[in-house]
Amino acid sequence: MQELWLFASAGMSLLPHVEHAPIWLTIAVGAALAWRTAIWWRRTALPSRWLLNFLVAAGSAGIFLTFNQFFGKDPGIALLICFLALKLLEMRRVRDGLAIIFLCYFLLLTHFLNEQGIGVAGFTLATLVVVTAALASLGHGGRPAADHLRQSVLMLAQAAPFMLVLFLLFPRVQGPLWGMPADAYSAMSGLSDSMSPGSISNLSLSGEIAFRVKFEGDLPPRPALYWRGPVLSLYDGRTWRADARQRKVSPHDTAAGPTYRYSVTLEPHNKHWLFVLEMPWKLPPDAILARDYQLLSKTPVRSRIRYEAQSHLEFVPGADESEVSLRRHLALPANNPRTRALAEKWRQELATDEGIVRRMLDHFRQEKFFYTLTPPLLGENSIDQFLFETRRGFCEHYASAFVFAMRAAGVPARVVTGYQGGEENPVDGYMIVRQSDAHAWAEVWLKDKGWVRVDPTAAIAPNRIEAGLASAVLAGEPLPFLVRTDLSWFRGIRFRWEALSNSWNQWVLGYNPQRQREVLSRLGMREPDWKTMTAAMAVLCGLLLLGLVFWTLHKRIRIDPTVRAWNLLSRKLAHLGLARRDWEGPMDFFNRVALSRPELAHPMQAIVALYIDLRYGKQNDQSAQQRLRKLVSNLEIIAKR
Amino acid sequence: MPASPILEAIHHAGRIILGKDRQIRLALVCLLARGHLLIEDLPGVGKTILAHVLARLLGLNFHRIQCTADMLPADIIGVSIYDRNTGGFQFHPGPIFAQVILVDEINRATPKSQSALLEAMEEHQVTCEGETRPLPEPFFVIATQNPYHQIGTFPLPESQLDRFLMRIEMGYPDQAAERELLAGADRRDMVASLNPCMEPGELIELQRAVREVHVSGALIAYVQALAEHTRRSPDFEAGLSPRAALSLLRAARAWALIDRRDLVLPEDIQAVLPAVAGHRLHPSGGAPTASSADIAAALVGAVPIP
């Protein structure tokens, strides 16, 4: 039985690592577990120490060859996995079992270095119960499994209040709870600081969450939900890039219209920018507003962060843009001659910049342009090819072509990327913005109006802006499962799950110093600093401990006073090494004591006689119980020497 | 004290059956608790002598039934035979109509005969040709079986074993006892010269006194804890039945009475546990050779006295 508990603990602790550990290690560990189970089943001998030493060396060498080092997160975890599997093959004594259990506990902790979702937490909790039950089974072999499980759950339940107190009050440091310095961020998806045909349509196939927004008060209308991200103003003929030379500006003061207050919970994307509703008015602390109204954080966003901001929908930004800057927004490489020719023609025909903008949008509307996720591939003069031949494209094609044409016609313009739209989760009221909401639009500079947002996509596919991607693309195109509109039941479940994991993110993983201060001041702690928190933690833990002590004492108080006196006698005699064995009857106990300490025979006789009368006879009055208690307390034990 | 004639009987029996005081005491406890005794041992270790001595000392009449494979229930219970003088059937009682009965080698009898005997033991009466006849009181059966040579025998099934309050083993005498035995007088003569220690009515009085011995709640809790342990522990194939727990209390009361006490102590339970529980418990997973004493010692050690 004990073996089975240990196997189960090890198996459950190892299971989540299958996803992250090297494949050869997974196979080797699986083989070791199967081998160990076969040994247990057939009752054959464990492998010799020589073989085990060889396996340790082989495993370590394999890990070194895979990672080129022993230090760091992944090789460390791999070593732990390897040693746990080998320790199972060396299970000879109770001590080995304890080593396995502590390895399991440690390995459990390392799951959080890879993932911190609510599912992992749930599985870890279940494993914790099993590992603790294995620990209980080591202490008392031969009991039914349910006993060990009950004991394990009881112990963990007793520990839970302490966990809660420590979680709430332990002074937090800034930064992710489970961060490791060498963690790889390469797998994070999101917008980048460059845009070429296809980069955003690829992103649109991902249902991953980019960020969540909680509005205070009313939501802005859907067509106004432009979440500003990287602004791209440099063009090399194929790729748009952000201008690295950025100066800091303060938020414009020309804003008008209603103010929207909201908080954003941004998933990590390993880049500097933060997303805000156009245009930001009040910035979160520690954020910089760049010259092109990009909001940047000081460090790359490597863990989920939460910030608050305010925005206005009506604004006149950059009305005082300098000549130099405007000229930079007209620069173009020398390709796409047909587009240039068209733009120059418009320039001559039309008097104003506004007229050119309108003409271009009309062009998109009147000619046969299609909005599609799967545009044909484009060659060297990609914009010419798109505008005059294929006429099929996604938002990046339209934004790119529009800005190119504007610049060619002498209107300063730039590409803005970010997200457009968002979906409100009816369960918790959070607005979810997914990678599939990624979008690119344009901005043109008009005299007296500053930078004005122009979304060419809105001209071709107004549905994309009004209702989202799913209703805008052609039927039969691949779409991320989650943005499809025909699976309403699935979306319902999905909303609930996302609301749950959002509260997990907000309250457990995102419990940073600010949150902690917020919660504690709501609980009535004024200006909590680490000293008051530590003090409160100590006091609360002390109170909890006292509560547990009283609880156990209360169970003892219900014990018959006769038995209590009897136990006291046993404790007194324990000083002489003569404690009552718990299966020893009163007469046997007396005889043993009298034999080894004859001077105690006389006082003991009275006690034992009275005890027998009270406990096993018909005697049942309180004075006798008190007499017994007195006799026991007065019994003088003088240890030899 | 009411138990003094019993102590006297133990003393006298101990002079004939040397070095077996514990077995004598247990046999008497079994008798006082109105149970029946199964002795499992090799021939020649004094089973028959023990039965004789007990009958003699307690002033009871004694019959012996030697079981064979061709024995019929009628050979035990008796038969009705036509009597020409009276012109009717006359019942001739069998050997079971006695106060102490030694059933030798009970596992040689067929299951049919065994069950007739065991029914009589349980009911203290026999039914023959529609007529129920009570057996004499007190009624005490000592059955013996040889556990080793099992060829051509009908081992008692578990359910029948349960009818015996106790099962004991005689065992070989120790060296000093054996030397005394070999040097001493003939045992049969010694038995013949014994005088009863009590009247038959006195024994029934003692059996009644056993039922008066006080059992406290704490002691019942202990018996329950023991039974509970055998039911939950994986060391046993099946736990003690409620009947076994009752038997334990009955035997412990008699043991306490012989010890001149009017209340039962945990030690009494522990003293009778090997004899009462030994044949009702089967250690699981091998170790069929474990003796009753070992099983009981392990059980006592595993259960704290509440």
Side-chain angles (χ1 to χ4, degrees), chain A residues 114-151:
Chain A
N114 291 328
E115 271 178 73
Q116 297 107 43
I118 196 166
V120 171
F123 187 79
T124 305
L125 190 65
T127 316
L128 199 61
V129 171
V130 172
V131 177
T132 310
L135 187 60
S137 84
L138 279 188
H140 313 266
R143 290 233 223 113
D147 277 15
H148 299 315
L149 273 182
R150 200 179 309 123
Q151 194 183 352

Side-chain angles (χ1 to χ4, degrees), chain B residues 251-299:
Chain B
R253 279 182 156 125
W255 185 275
L257 185 82
I258 291 182
D259 233 11
R260 296 161 173 253
R261 270 183 283 110
D262 58 354
L263 48 86
V264 182
L265 288 181
E267 284 93 331
D268 301 325
I269 300 281
Q270 291 169 359
V272 299
L273 190 68
V276 176
H279 58 297
R280 293 174 160 106
L281 283 174
H282 298 274
S284 57
T289 50
S291 71
S292 303
D294 295 340
I295 297 171
L299 178 55

Side-chain angles (χ1 to χ4, degrees), chain A residues 142-144 147 150 563 580-589 611-613 615-618, chain B residues 212 214-219 222 232-234 263-267 270 300-301 303-306:
Chain A
R143 290 233 223 113
D147 277 15
R150 200 179 309 123
V563 176
R580 190 180 73 88
R581 294 165 190 144
D582 55 5
W583 47 265
E584 200 170 35
M587 288 301 287
D588 288 347
F589 183 39
Y611 170 73
I612 287 177
D613 249 13
R615 185 97 176 122
Y616 297 107
K618 291 172 186 163
Chain B
E212 315 269 287
H214 179 69
V215 168
S216 72
L219 193 95
Y222 181 47
R232 288 162 63 91
S233 162
L263 48 86
V264 182
L265 288 181
E267 284 93 331
Q270 291 169 359
V300 165
V303 182
I305 296 173

Side-chain angles (χ1 to χ4, degrees), chain A residues 6-26:
Chain A
L6 288 173
F7 295 165
S9 313
M12 282 179 79
S13 314
L14 289 169
L15 193 63
H17 283 294
V18 169
E19 199 185 331
H20 305 280
I23 292 172
W24 67 265
L25 186 63
T26 303

Side-chain angles (χ1 to χ4, degrees), chain A residues 62-126:
Chain A
I63 287 164
F64 190 81
L65 287 178
T66 311
F67 297 100
N68 287 321
Q69 60 172 344
F70 282 133
F71 300 102
K73 185 190 81 173
D74 290 327
I77 293 177
L79 276 177
L80 268 179
I81 292 172
C82 174
F83 291 161
L84 174 58
L86 291 176
K87 191 72 199 169
L88 279 175
L89 288 166
E90 200 198 29
M91 218 164 70
R92 291 170 211 275
R93 263 163 292 164
V94 173
R95 209 186 58 187
D96 297 323
L98 283 176
I100 290 170
I101 285 171
F102 292 126
L103 272 173
C104 284
Y105 278 130
F106 203 82
L107 209 54
L108 268 186
L109 212 63
T110 60
H111 295 174
F112 290 109
L113 296 177
N114 291 328
E115 271 178 73
Q116 297 107 43
I118 196 166
V120 171
F123 187 79
T124 305
L125 190 65

